Amino acid sequence: MEKNIAENKMKTYLGERYTENHLHNFLRYWMKASEGNGDDWRRENDLDCLYFDGDLRADTLMSAWTPVKWVADCLNREYGKKFHKKSADATDPHHDLKLLLEDTDAWLPPKHELVLLLQEFLELAEQRCNYILLPDRDMNPDRYRIKKNNGEELWLFDEVPATLYHIFMGDTLGKYFEDFFDAVHWVEREHLEIGFTQEPIAPLHVRPLVPGMEVGEARWLTEEREIAEALKYMIRFLKERRALLQAEDLEQMTQEIICFLQKWGLWQDVAILVNGKRYRDDAAENCENPEEYTSGLISCGEWGEERETKWVSYANPEHIFDMVYEGPLSVLLYEREYETSRSAVSDAAWEEIFRETDLLERYIQENYEVWSPEALLEGYASKTCAWDPLVFDTWEEYQETAGWEDEELQPRYQSFDTYEDYQECMDREWTVEDVMPLWEKFLDKVKDEVRTDGERLYCPEMTGYIIAEFDRIFERYGLWYELDFSWSLSCYRL
C-alpha cells in the first residue's frame, strides 16, 4: 500500500479512538505509547518516528505536553492542583491524564482563551509541521536540558527559540553541527527560518517565544498572559511551517506528475499551475493569476432568450494545484481513451503496456507464424540444419552428406555463443528451455517493431490503468482533483 505523505499519523495511530478533540487525542496517545519502551517500540509508537519512517533522529518540534501542563496548572492554581504526564502514584501512572480525559471541561473550561488557543495548537501539533529530523538523536533530550562544557546545567524546555539560538553555541547544541553554516543549512532544510525576525539566519535574529524575553532565553511559563503569547507564537510558527512544507510537497508532486506524463507520452500541450509558477513542456515561468488560464467561456441565459457568453473559472479558489491541457491528456481524462504518439511513450511505459495487454501477442499472431516458445521450437527444428563447420568444411560438403539441397536452412550453430554450447545441445533432444534465448531475442525484435508500427498508439485497454496511476500521485500528497472544463482540472485537500 502506498503511503500518503500528508497523512495525519495521530489519526492513523489512534484509529477509531481519534476524535476532533485534539487534547483527547494526545491524552490517549500518551497513554497508549507509554505501554512499551526501547528503540523498536519508539519506531512504531512515537509520532515523531512515525512521521519519519522509524528514523530515531526524529523529534517533536514543539512539545504538546508542555503547553497542556502550562494551561492546566495555571487554570487550577487556586485548587493547588498540578498535573503530571506520569503520576507519582505507582498504582496508576496515568492518573492525571485520565482526570483531564474524563472531566475535561471541569479542569479546562472550553471557552477560556487559553483553552481555545491550546486546542488550536494541539490540532497543528498532530500534523507533520510539528516534527523535525535532528542531525543526531542525542540532541533530542539535550533540547530539554543540556550540560554545558563547564558542567553547568541549562534548561531549554524544548522551546523553539532556545533551540534555534543554541545551535550556534559551541558549548551547547552547537556541538551537533560542524560549524555555523552547517547549523544554517539545518534550519533551512527543516524550514525553521520562521523563527528568525530577519535575514540572515543568525542567533541575534531569533524571534523570542514571548515579547520581552531575551534572545535565546528559555523559561517555564506560569502566568496567563505569557502562556497566551507563547501559544500564539507556536500556532503562528506551525501554520507558516505547514505552508512551507505543503509548498515543498507540491513542488515534489509537480515533478512526479511531469515524470508520469513524460512516461506515458502525455507531456504535450500541458501547463501545471502551482506555487505561483506555470510549468510547460518547454519552460517554467511565474504565474501570478492562475484564473487567467483556468477561465473559460460559457453560455448563460434562459432558453428562448438571447444567450450571452461570459468567462468563468471552475477551479478551486485556493488554486492549490491546477492543470490545463489539450491533446492526449484531455483525451485520457475527458474522453477516457488512451491515444498518443508512439515515439513519445517511454520504454518503461511500453513494458507495462506489453505486460498489461495482449498488444504484443496480437501483433505476433497477425504478422508471424510463431506465437509461443513451443511453436518456435517446432519451427526451429524444421528450419535449421545440424551443419557442424568443424566436421564439414563447406556447406556443399554437408549437403552432399545430408542428402538435401535446401539452401534456406539456417545452420544451428549460429544460434549459440560458443561451440561448446552448440555441441552440448546437439547431443540431446531440444526442449523449450533451449529456445528461450531465441524467443527473448525474437520478442525484443517484435517489441521494437510495435513501438514504430505507425505514428499513433491507440490503446484504450490501458486507460483505467494509467488513470489509476495518475490518481495515486494525488492521493499520496493528500489531494483529490475534479475536472472543470474538458481541458482543465483543479485540486482540493482530502
Side-chain angles (χ1 to χ4, degrees):
M1 182 177 180
E2 295 190 25
K3 293 187 303 179
N4 178 347
I5 69 171
E7 176 186 2
N8 183 323
K9 299 294 185 181
M10 176 73 86
K11 190 172 185 178
T12 303
Y13 186 72
L14 292 181
E16 294 180 355
R17 302 178 70 196
Y18 181 87
T19 71
E20 294 306 311
N21 186 313
H22 304 286
L23 172 63
H24 288 181
N25 291 339
F26 271 102
L27 294 170
R28 293 188 177 102
Y29 159 69
W30 287 322
M31 286 188 278
K32 180 179 178 182
S34 66
E35 294 172 359
N37 54 66
D39 286 349
D40 289 342
W41 177 265
R42 184 175 170 236
R43 285 188 182 95
E44 297 181 2
N45 292 273
D46 276 10
L47 277 183
D48 49 9
C49 287
L50 293 176
Y51 272 109
F52 287 94
D53 296 328
D55 194 324
L56 294 173
R57 294 174 300 159
D59 194 15
T60 302
L61 177 60
M62 298 179 184
S63 164
W65 170 251
T66 296
V68 168
K69 180 171 174 58
W70 284 346
V71 173
D73 287 358
C74 177
L75 297 185
N76 294 282
R77 185 177 297 139
E78 62 181 294
Y79 307 112
K81 174 61 181 172
K82 289 190 175 182
F83 291 84
H84 301 277
K85 193 174 182 182
K86 185 174 182 180
S87 175
D89 183 355
T91 61
D92 188 2
H94 298 149
H95 177 268
D96 286 0
L97 300 183
K98 290 178 180 177
L99 279 182
L100 291 173
L101 181 63
E102 294 166 2
D103 204 0
T104 307
D105 292 355
W107 300 105
L108 296 171
K111 294 185 179 180
H112 195 285
E113 180 194 15
L114 287 186
V115 178
L116 293 172
L117 288 170
L118 179 64
Q119 283 283 11
E120 185 177 1
F121 164 73
L122 292 176
E123 181 179 3
L124 291 162
E126 293 178 3
Q127 301 170 32
R128 187 166 62 99
C129 56
N130 194 36
Y131 300 90
I132 56 176
L133 194 63
L134 301 173
D136 189 304
R137 65 178 297 189
D138 290 340
M139 186 175 162
N140 185 321
D142 282 349
R143 288 188 58 221
Y144 195 84
R145 181 178 60 183
I146 190 170
K147 184 172 289 188
K148 301 172 71 173
N149 293 339
N150 61 8
E152 175 191 353
E153 277 195 336
L154 184 65
W155 291 81
L156 304 179
F157 302 117
D158 283 333
E159 292 175 6
V160 171
T163 294
L164 296 179
Y165 178 84
H166 282 278
I167 61 174
F168 297 103
M169 303 297 121
D171 62 343
T172 53
L173 298 180
K175 66 183 180 180
Y176 294 107
F177 300 90
E178 294 180 5
D179 52 32
F180 182 94
F181 299 103
D182 188 34
V184 170
H185 174 72
W186 180 74
V187 167
E188 293 174 338
R189 187 195 77 188
E190 296 300 320
H191 293 299
L192 303 175
E193 55 267 47
I194 311 152
F196 296 83
T197 58
Q198 63 187 69
E199 293 182 344
I201 293 170
L204 293 180
H205 296 160
V206 171
R207 187 186 305 276
L209 181 66
V210 173
M213 287 179 68
E214 295 294 326
V215 174
E217 178 187 358
R219 190 165 72 229
W220 188 262
L221 304 182
T222 58
E223 299 304 315
E224 183 174 327
R225 181 190 63 81
E226 288 193 332
I227 295 172
E229 290 297 327
L231 284 168
K232 290 174 184 177
Y233 167 97
M234 296 157 78
I235 290 167
R236 174 180 172 238
F237 194 110
L238 291 183
K239 282 184 174 178
E240 291 187 19
R241 186 168 188 261
R242 180 176 63 183
L244 289 174
L245 290 171
Q246 287 174 344
E248 185 176 70
D249 285 349
L250 289 172
E251 202 70 34
Q252 182 176 324
M253 188 183 85
T254 299
Q255 298 308 314
E256 284 193 39
I257 292 289
I258 291 173
C259 288
F260 163 85
L261 297 174
Q262 290 173 333
K263 170 185 172 182
W264 292 105
L266 305 170
W267 183 234
Q268 49 188 293
D269 300 321
V270 177
I272 297 175
L273 312 171
V274 62
N275 288 340
K277 298 178 184 176
R278 182 165 74 114
Y279 292 87
R280 297 180 296 161
D281 55 1
D282 59 348
E285 57 192 11
N286 291 333
C287 175
E288 297 181 1
N289 182 18
E291 293 206 3
E292 177 183 348
Y293 302 96
T294 60
S295 296
L297 282 171
I298 64 166
S299 296
C300 58
E302 297 294 330
W303 291 107
E305 299 179 358
E306 186 176 348
R307 296 174 65 79
E308 299 179 352
T309 59
K310 66 177 181 178
W311 290 90
V312 298
S313 173
Y314 296 126
N316 180 354
E318 291 184 61
H319 292 292
I320 298 169
F321 182 98
D322 301 302
M323 293 178 68
V324 295
Y325 40 77
E326 297 177 349
L329 184 58
S330 179
V331 172
L332 179 77
L333 297 178
Y334 188 71
E335 299 181 21
R336 314 301 279 189
E337 299 278 7
Y338 177 52
E339 181 178 7
T340 188
S341 167
R342 288 178 184 263
S343 61
V345 180
S346 70
D347 290 344
W350 275 115
E351 287 303 319
E352 291 180 51
I353 292 170
F354 294 143
R355 185 183 70 240
E356 298 295 328
T357 72
D358 63 353
L359 179 65
L360 190 63
E361 289 83 350
R362 285 189 283 110
Y363 185 88
I364 291 173
Q365 291 175 1
E366 292 170 4
N367 295 276
Y368 290 91
E369 297 176 359
V370 175
W371 57 89
S372 68
E374 291 77 11
L376 178 63
L377 175 61
E378 181 180 347
Y380 186 74
S382 64
K383 294 183 179 180
T384 61
C385 66
W387 173 30
D388 185 338
L390 297 185
V391 175
F392 300 97
D393 293 333
T394 65
W395 169 248
E396 290 73 19
E397 183 181 350
Y398 169 75
Q399 282 184 309
E400 187 176 321
T401 304
W404 65 69
E405 298 182 357
D406 190 345
E407 295 185 2
E408 294 184 359
L409 291 177
Q410 175 190 349
R412 288 183 190 173
Y413 75 84
Q414 293 180 355
S415 301
F416 297 90
D417 294 328
T418 68
Y419 184 74
E420 289 72 18
D421 291 341
Y422 164 72
Q423 280 189 313
E424 189 273 331
C425 244
M426 290 303 296
D427 290 339
R428 59 178 171 76
E429 184 176 352
W430 271 40
T431 65
V432 170
E433 287 72 22
D434 293 319
V435 296
M436 284 308 296
L438 298 176
W439 177 251
E440 295 299 332
K441 290 180 180 179
F442 171 71
L443 287 183
D444 288 342
K445 171 180 174 292
V446 175
K447 287 176 181 178
D448 287 341
E449 291 179 10
V450 173
R451 291 186 180 103
T452 58
D453 183 30
E455 182 180 343
R456 306 292 296 173
L457 169 65
Y458 177 64
C459 194
E461 58 266 48
M462 285 298 293
T463 300
Y465 180 93
I466 297 170
I467 291 177
E469 182 179 335
F470 186 62
D471 292 350
R472 284 194 296 271
I473 298 175
F474 293 92
E475 291 167 3
R476 282 201 299 276
Y477 289 87
L479 300 176
W480 57 280
Y481 67 87
E482 286 187 355
L483 302 183
D484 301 327
F485 295 101
S486 63
W487 45 266
S488 66
L489 65 79
S490 191
C491 283
Y492 302 79
R493 296 198 186 280
L494 290 171

